[in-house]
Amino acid sequence: MAGHDHHHDHGHHHHDHGDDHDHDHDHEHPRLGELQLRVKALESLLVEKGLVDPAALDEFIDIYETKVGPRNGARVVARAWTDPEFLDWLRRDASAAIKSYGFEGRQGEHMIVVENTDRVHNLVVCTLCSCYPWPVLGLAAGLVQIGALSVARGDRPARRACGFRDRAAGRRRGPGLGLHRRGALPGAAEAAGRNRGADRGRAGGPGLSERHDRRRDGPGSGGGEGGGMNGAHDMGGMHGFGPVQDEPEDDRFHGEWERRAFALTLACGGLGKWTIDQARSAREHQPPAQYLANTYFEQWLHGLEVLLVEKGLVTAEELRTGKALTPKPDGVEAIKAERVVKALQQGSPYTREVNRAPRFAIGDRVLVRNDHPVGHTRAPRYVRGRIGRVVLHHGAHVYADTSAKGERGIAHHLYNLAFDSIELWGADAQPGAVHLDLWEPYLEPA
């Protein structure tokens, strides 16, 4: 899949899920009290309407808190370090090699591993959506919600060549695969390289400013075409948001409301009423000040509320009052707890067969079209009008731009392109390459 985004840090994490936890946390951030109540009201509404099963919510949370995480990726990498045959398999077919451990499914359907060397350290970042290889790294909520990679030249290792993979942000030097279906296999590199173009934006902070129009039904409120692509979420290459503050591997959530908002989003996604790209689009279409003030799981909550109303699962009045006023739509069945594991293992593969030959071959120089589409896209601003070289052809994948409009059947060839850092960032850029996965409609011959 093509370039993407997300995750966060509030500086502390509590394991106590009881009322005292919420009460204490609310004294530190009064805004969180409103969020806790909002999520509880939404969960009660959806349970009352028969759209979610409370036991399924608990199952989702348990899986992502106890059964997936960086420890899974560490097992894969440790095996690669000691087993040359497995390492070769991982290089040739990462998805199959990783699946042999039972790590598969949602957000891990199409895995590719890139390997660090003495001269190249691969830093995997995400600039447009909420993607991360959950089966091997778990949730990434500790990175993007705060935000940013340092771009100060003084922070860079001298004369190190760096390869940047446009996905989600990864910083650990220890065992672990990189992000969003593209893993960085640790090698002998001593430090993560940094690049002026890798600056990430702050998607929310401890101030938690008041949110406005979160339940607005008009154009631009959700996954439709009411807002432009070049919104606050398209942060790739932007400066001034401060450093990424990494956090312990176990800090997946920072409050019970985040756990419940996460599980509600997965459970409602299982109703089959929207695509993953519609979910991303719904999160993106917010006023810039609101988007930047929201924390990571607030973005998820906003997108869920918008889609529930747009798809007719709840009414705006029900969302406002928290009371069920209409029956559950016909033909909609909540995912049950006993089906959660199987549903996650199945995932949602996005490869497709098309009857068109690929327009470009490995080694071709191609230009990214300088288009500014209305709605969701995976061609970030910083590569439009730039020339790159095709290094991989992934086959045909579901086209995110049309999937975000609910058109599930359209697929195009997907390529990995390498861009010289100087092409993107100018003469002062650190030598290196930036790799992005881009669909054929974004490209034309150079």
Side-chain angles (χ1 to χ4, degrees), residues 393-410:
H393 173 230
H394 296 304
H397 285 236
V398 172
Y399 187 39
D401 297 47
T402 49
S403 173
K405 301 173 185 177
E407 301 174 21
R408 301 169 184 254
I410 299 177

Side-chain angles (χ1 to χ4, degrees), residues 130-149:
S130 181
C131 300
Y132 201 78
W134 290 357
V136 291
L137 286 186
L139 303 180
L143 290 178
V144 178
Q145 209 164 346
I146 277 224
L149 298 180

Side-chain angles (χ1 to χ4, degrees), residues 63-220:
I63 288 171
Y64 283 102
E65 285 202 309
T66 66
K67 297 181 175 63
V68 300
R71 68 182 73 86
N72 294 352
R75 289 179 61 190
V76 173
V77 173
R79 171 84 176 276
W81 282 347
T82 59
D83 184 340
E85 291 186 359
F86 182 78
L87 174 59
D88 181 64
W89 187 17
L90 194 62
R91 289 166 173 161
R92 290 183 288 105
D93 190 348
S95 296
I98 292 169
K99 186 177 179 179
S100 70
Y101 275 87
F103 308 148
E104 59 180 325
R106 185 179 178 89
Q107 293 287 82
E109 296 92 339
H110 311 292
M111 299 290 293
I112 293 177
V113 166
V114 291
E115 189 173 2
N116 292 338
T117 70
D118 290 339
R119 286 189 49 78
V120 175
H121 191 99
N122 293 279
L123 178 64
V124 190
V125 299
C126 173
T127 57
L128 279 183
C129 62
S130 181
C131 300
Y132 201 78
W134 290 357
V136 291
L137 286 186
L139 303 180
L143 290 178
V144 178
Q145 209 164 346
I146 277 224
L149 298 180
S150 172
V151 295
R153 291 191 66 87
D155 291 343
R156 300 173 184 156
R159 306 297 297 173
R160 178 175 297 282
C162 298
F164 291 85
R165 306 279 171 165
D166 191 343
R167 289 303 188 197
R171 291 195 42 190
R172 293 184 181 87
R173 284 169 42 199
L177 296 180
L179 321 213
H180 183 71
R181 306 180 185 127
R182 183 176 292 280
L185 185 62
E190 295 179 359
R194 300 181 182 179
N195 185 291
R196 181 163 308 193
D199 197 2
R200 290 287 301 128
R202 178 179 182 132
L208 298 173
S209 62
E210 188 60 39
R211 179 175 177 173
H212 302 286
D213 278 347
R214 66 173 176 266
R215 296 188 177 99
R216 180 182 50 170
D217 295 327

